[in-house]
Amino acid sequence: MPTPLFAYRKYWAECFGPAPELPMSRAEMDALGWDSCDIILVTGDAYVDHPSFGMAVVGRVLEAQGFRVGIIAQPDWTSAEPFTVLGKPNLFFGVAAGNMDSMINRYTADRKRRNDDAYTPDNVGGKRPDRAVIVYSQRVREAYKDVPLIIGSIEASLRRIAHYDYWSDKVRRSILVDSRADLLLYGNAERAVVDVAHRLAAGEPISQIRDLRGTAFVCKKLPADYRVIDSTHLDVVGPVEPLLSPYVDTSGPSCAEGGPEAAATGECGVELMDPAGTGAPSTATAVAAVEAEPVTLLDRPREAGPSVIRIPAYEQVRDDPPLYAHASRILHKETNPHNARPLVQAHGDREVWLNPPPIPLSTEELDWVFEQPYTRLPHSSYGEARIPAYEMIRHSVNIMRGCFGGCTFCSITEHEGRIIQNRSEDSIIREVERIRDTSKAFTGVISDLGGPTANMWRLACKSEEIEAKCRKLSCVFPGICKNLNTDQTPLVHLYRRARAVPGVKKVLIASGLRYDLAVETPEYVEELVRHHVGGYLKIAPEHTEDGPLSKMMKPGIGTYDRFEAMFNKYSQAAGKKQFLIPYFIAAHPGTSDEDMMNLALWLKRHKLRADQVQTFYPSPMATATAMYYSGRNPLHKVRREGEQVSAVRGLSQRRLHKAFLRYHDPDNWPLLRTALKKMGRANLIGNGKVHLVPPRQPAKRHARVPADARPFATQHNGLPRNPARRRR
């Protein structure tokens, strides 16, 4: 077992004690009595000393180990000078893009540039570069080329191997190669970063740190003591030999006994299954007789010693989409920290090596991480500037990490893991009390008790032995695993205890709710509906049709109906008028125009009108992104002639799918009418309840201009200005 985070011997600099806030300038370092920083963290976010912000967590965890940690937040990347503001660190630079991927932060799902950034003071956009980890790393190398460079954050974590890049529409190399970093830490990485810091402080070169879980690095050749397993032996890509029919009578003479004449005339009596998988038998014309031999599994040979799985090289997945889907499937199968094996992927003459995922933090360790001396405030240098992301979560409490849902469009599992890491109830309540006692803006409302998912706290496999062997991508798809403990009564007790804290008026649940789990504990649904919903509850069925849902790994719409009935029942019993706000995704791989039409009809029957529409965003390393790029389904064994998955690529079709979700918007009616006619569904055009869109556009009404308004032209048109209005 790994060393607990709180059991390391402290570094000598612990004598300085914890800083009121981690320094961002030389003046702050001088005030703390520091002559230098041991570790400097570079981030694309504003520095907010709150446990919901990654750099604050990493910084405070390292500080608790005795290291002096400085922060360079949102530096000007046009030169190397801003990266020297704190001087040269004694141990290493840590580079991160921030809480969000810099490309997703900067661009919409339609590749349009955003003008704002919720993680920047006053919501100003453009304060971080595209592909921030690569750009920051290059500037750090330019400033101090001999200092160890370690990259992390979700941007680096999801780009640790060759990956499809939606914004350039091509497969890019591992971010390790482009950033020239010494080491990549993926996931939340507290274990890895603490271990690396202590080993570097002890004088160990970073080039020799190669055995650490949750890390990736570039090497020129593989260790000699490792046995290499070709991943295509685990998951065959290519033509498949016909299978022997299980219904054939094999008691007759073999081809060998009948001689070549029997083989030539097809009298062997052996049938082969149709290679296409239809099950139609065909008579073999030639079959070689062999004696039965024991079967040896290719991925578990008898040779002793460590093994590493070689997935297809960058050049192969770049040029061969089925191999990309295959590599994605292997990567996701090797995410259980208890049975995952190292992976290696060639990039030219170099190898990118991925160590297995880290062992999840224990409850005691996670409590220790969240109970560091965070100020829960933005850095004082920002003054009165507003940081929207902070304002949204400043009175929220994170109670767990990880997600075993396995939704293919989401990357939480690849980043935080499938095994839930839980905080203790006492630690959570202490944080609620700390918010009450220290926040001047606290009005008595805790905005959220949750995490990646609202109701997975303390849910786990019933058997540690089964959990250690399991390679399933989801514990709840296609149905809830019989080995999963779904009892949410401990969460009910936590909610009741939190709202009983003196000074707390309301505890809201804002994190995403797994309603398929919630219905397994009706007491939980009742507690949630009666006391923790602020009028609206957001849940995400994502779609209504089985085709897209199977590609998303989401439950059928019948489960939503079951939850809705319980929600309405308990709301009515509580005398409250409350509403469910369902979220749906447009343009997900495997979604047809007909699927979106049926979803629109479902929305109309239920009298739901979507205000905002979520369009599928192909984020790096997600399984759905592999479907989008390759046209294959990596949820099953990948075959070149196997299942094809349609991808909604063109902007016009993406707009159509979004229009179906907003069928009630008159601006979308012309597009929908044209599409319905092409689909042969003109019967849905009309003014009745069974129709989706009316046959004509509504009359346009001119906007009324108030008498005191000042009209202006949106662009110069060379015409004289409008005369001023007369006062009445």
Side-chain angles (χ1 to χ4, degrees), residues 262-452:
T265 58
E267 295 177 356
C268 306
V270 178
E271 291 181 334
L272 298 178
M273 296 298 290
D274 177 20
T278 62
S282 60
T283 303
T285 57
V287 178
V290 295
E291 295 184 2
E293 295 180 356
V295 175
T296 301
L297 296 179
L298 292 172
D299 63 331
R300 288 290 187 270
R302 296 177 181 176
E303 292 89 342
S307 61
V308 59
I309 298 175
R310 177 177 290 284
I311 59 177
Y314 156 68
E315 292 80 7
Q316 291 177 288
V317 299
R318 178 193 63 193
D319 301 331
D320 192 339
L323 278 180
Y324 183 95
H326 159 77
S328 173
R329 174 175 168 80
I330 296 298
L331 176 74
H332 286 82
K333 285 288 187 181
E334 299 294 330
T335 54
N336 184 338
H338 300 301
N339 60 34
R341 292 159 289 185
L343 303 177
V344 66
Q345 183 180 51
H347 284 61
D349 59 351
R350 290 172 290 179
E351 307 278 2
V352 173
W353 180 288
L354 273 67
N355 280 318
I359 300 298
L361 298 184
S362 66
T363 295
E364 293 76 15
E365 289 176 301
L366 198 58
D367 287 350
W368 180 84
V369 168
F370 277 89
E371 295 193 49
Q372 294 305 312
Y374 305 99
T375 65
R376 302 185 69 89
L377 294 169
H379 191 270
S380 56
S381 63
Y382 299 129
E384 299 298 320
R386 297 175 60 251
I387 302 176
Y390 161 70
E391 293 183 348
M392 181 183 296
I393 54 83
R394 61 178 166 179
H395 296 146
S396 67
V397 179
N398 197 319
I399 66 175
M400 46 77 72
R401 284 181 181 172
C403 180
F404 51 70
C407 301
T408 61
F409 51 82
C410 178
S411 299
I412 290 175
T413 300
E414 287 71 45
H415 187 63
E416 294 195 351
R418 188 168 291 108
I419 297 174
I420 304 302
Q421 303 167 66
N422 309 285
R423 292 178 66 184
S424 69
E425 189 174 291
D426 289 343
S427 175
I428 295 166
I429 297 303
R430 283 195 294 270
E431 184 168 347
V432 171
E433 293 172 340
R434 191 157 52 250
I435 292 172
R436 176 200 63 190
D437 297 339
T438 61
S439 176
K440 296 180 180 179
F442 184 61
T443 60
V445 179
I446 297 296
S447 59
D448 188 25
L449 282 184

Side-chain angles (χ1 to χ4, degrees), residues 93 202 242 325 359 376 417 426 450 523 543 658 711 728:
F93 268 104
I359 300 298
R376 302 185 69 89
D426 289 343
E523 183 185 359
H543 218 284
K658 291 167 64 176
R728 296 181 180 178

Side-chain angles (χ1 to χ4, degrees), residues 243-252 268-273 281-283:
L243 302 176
L244 185 68
S245 171
Y247 305 106
V248 70
D249 179 11
T250 58
S251 60
C268 306
V270 178
E271 291 181 334
L272 298 178
M273 296 298 290
S282 60
T283 303

Side-chain angles (χ1 to χ4, degrees), residues 549-576:
L549 289 173
S550 68
K551 305 301 183 296
M552 299 175 184
M553 292 180 69
K554 293 286 288 186
I557 197 64
T559 309
Y560 169 84
D561 294 335
R562 183 181 169 195
F563 178 80
E564 182 184 35
M566 296 177 70
F567 180 87
N568 292 335
K569 171 187 172 183
Y570 293 128
S571 293
Q572 187 176 4
K576 294 183 176 181

Side-chain angles (χ1 to χ4, degrees), residues 598-614:
N598 290 333
L599 172 54
L601 292 170
W602 185 92
L603 290 171
K604 185 168 186 180
R605 285 196 303 272
H606 287 74
K607 300 179 180 179
L608 293 172
R609 295 188 172 191
D611 184 29
Q612 293 181 327
V613 174
Q614 181 182 4

Side-chain angles (χ1 to χ4, degrees), residues 229 286 425 446 492 538 563 579 630 670:
I229 302 172
E425 189 174 291
I446 297 296
V492 173
K538 298 176 182 179
F563 178 80
F579 304 92
S630 69

